[in-house]
Amino acid sequence: MSRWRIGEHTSVGATNENRQITYTDTCWQLAFQHDSAGNELQGSLNMLRSAVKRGNRVKLLIGNTSVVPEHVSVRGGHINAMIISKVLKANSNIKEFDSTGVWDWSMVTTTGTQTTLKLRVGEATETADSRVITATEVTWFIDTRPWRKVLAHDKFGTVTSGSKVALRDAVKLGARVRYIMRFDESDSIEVQEADNISINGADIGATHVRSVSLEPTPGSTADRRFQNNPYWWFTIAATTGSVDMSRWTVGEHTNRGHSSQTANIEWFVNC
């Protein structure tokens, strides 16, 4: 266990203890495995891409690390996965955090490209080896739980399939919610899972707070990378078609802007 003060790069101690652990999450299947150049080894990119568009969750095996990304997008026919749930570990040690307190973030793409960003916890300061681009072999899995599309609407909130009542009722029954946003007429999509959900009559608003700012990688239509001086990208997607966005610098209480857009959104539930 590694503890750091919120909003500061100040350690408040580390401890180690042993506990009995049971592993139960077995509902995954291999969808696509590629080499470091993005060449197919098993499965297919089409299978993975189709599953993402059906609302399925994604898990990656990168080397000896298995991780579920916080944010998935489709760009130029390829899948981008944002991984920001990692803190740097001690060298070659599966049991201990590195004592310096560093976020160890990655953007992974089915082209074989992995781009890292390392920031000191509680600060906007990058480490000396922060931004590294590597060609990486990755295995992509999809979960086999049934995700049902219960609602689709245009950017004005006009229902094109399903119903808002079906989504609202699923939420009231405790369903997990994932949604796909299309901001333009291209095939690019953003896929998120709701961190919390509010209900207002027949409409709902899904809040997602686990994404940071990205930009296109120069020379590529598919790859994305972390921006310099990145910001948290908080969103509220609503069944009215609106997507509200609040941006705050990573490691600082610095407002980077607030805006609203509209999007075509598809809503999926798992229950």
Side-chain angles (χ1 to χ4, degrees):
M1 303 178 189
S2 181
R3 304 174 183 87
W4 296 82
R5 291 203 183 280
I6 293 174
E8 299 177 6
H9 189 69
T10 304
S11 173
V12 290
T15 56
N16 187 290
E17 62 184 64
N18 295 325
R19 295 200 177 185
Q20 180 176 327
I21 303 172
T22 303
Y23 297 94
T24 59
D25 190 10
T26 60
C27 302
W28 297 88
Q29 71 178 73
L30 188 151
F32 183 45
Q33 182 184 32
H34 59 76
D35 65 15
S36 58
N39 299 311
E40 176 186 305
L41 298 176
Q42 294 186 72
S44 72
L45 176 57
N46 185 58
M47 179 182 179
L48 174 62
R49 186 172 52 236
S50 296
V52 167
K53 291 182 177 181
R54 292 195 305 268
N56 289 81
R57 291 191 303 155
V58 172
K59 181 181 283 187
L60 287 71
L61 181 64
I62 309 167
N64 293 318
T65 300
S66 173
V67 62
V68 176
E70 283 71 28
H71 183 104
V72 174
S73 63
V74 178
R75 300 271 172 178
H78 282 274
I79 311 300
N80 286 280
M82 177 190 295
I83 300 165
I84 57 175
S85 57
K86 288 178 62 186
V87 175
L88 196 65
K89 293 189 179 117
N91 249 351
S92 303
N93 192 330
I94 66 168
K95 300 192 300 181
E96 268 183 61
F97 290 106
D98 188 277
S99 62
T100 56
V102 172
W103 290 111
D104 183 15
W105 293 348
S106 294
M107 279 298 303
V108 182
T109 308
T110 49
T111 59
T113 302
Q114 179 180 9
T115 305
T116 65
L117 176 65
K118 294 179 182 178
L119 295 166
R120 285 158 54 101
V121 171
E123 296 182 351
T125 307
E126 294 189 24
T127 65
D129 61 343
S130 172
R131 294 179 182 269
V132 178
I133 300 175
T134 55
T136 307
E137 178 179 320
V138 181
T139 304
W140 301 72
F141 300 88
I142 53 174
D143 70 327
T144 56
R145 297 167 179 82
W147 288 89
R148 296 185 295 117
K149 183 166 72 171
V150 292
L151 172 65
H153 59 76
D154 65 16
K155 62 183 181 179
F156 304 108
T158 302
V159 175
T160 55
S161 69
S163 74
K164 294 184 179 182
V165 171
L167 175 59
R168 182 199 62 190
D169 290 349
V171 170
K172 287 186 173 182
L173 289 172
R176 300 178 70 170
V177 174
R178 292 173 61 79
Y179 48 98
I180 294 175
M181 300 179 290
R182 289 180 171 84
F183 290 98
D184 53 41
E185 299 306 314
S186 71
D187 195 42
S188 297
I189 60 174
E190 307 290 337
V191 185
Q192 295 181 336
E193 186 162 325
D195 293 321
N196 60 77
I197 299 170
S198 299
I199 301 173
N200 183 9
D203 285 302
I204 76 160
T207 300
H208 180 86
V209 297
R210 294 173 297 127
S211 295
V212 295
S213 58
L214 303 173
E215 64 185 9
T217 300
S220 173
T221 60
D223 295 343
R224 308 280 280 174
R225 67 182 186 184
F226 296 104
Q227 287 185 331
N228 291 324
N229 190 24
Y231 53 78
W232 293 107
W233 182 48
F234 305 147
T235 60
I236 303 175
T239 51
T240 60
S242 71
V243 181
D244 195 68
M245 302 175 186
S246 181
R247 305 172 182 86
W248 296 84
T249 298
V250 175
E252 296 178 1
H253 189 69
T254 303
N255 189 345
R256 297 285 290 278
H258 178 253
S259 62
S260 293
Q261 292 180 245
T262 56
N264 301 324
I265 307 177
E266 297 175 85
W267 300 84
F268 302 82
V269 300
N270 174 248
C271 59

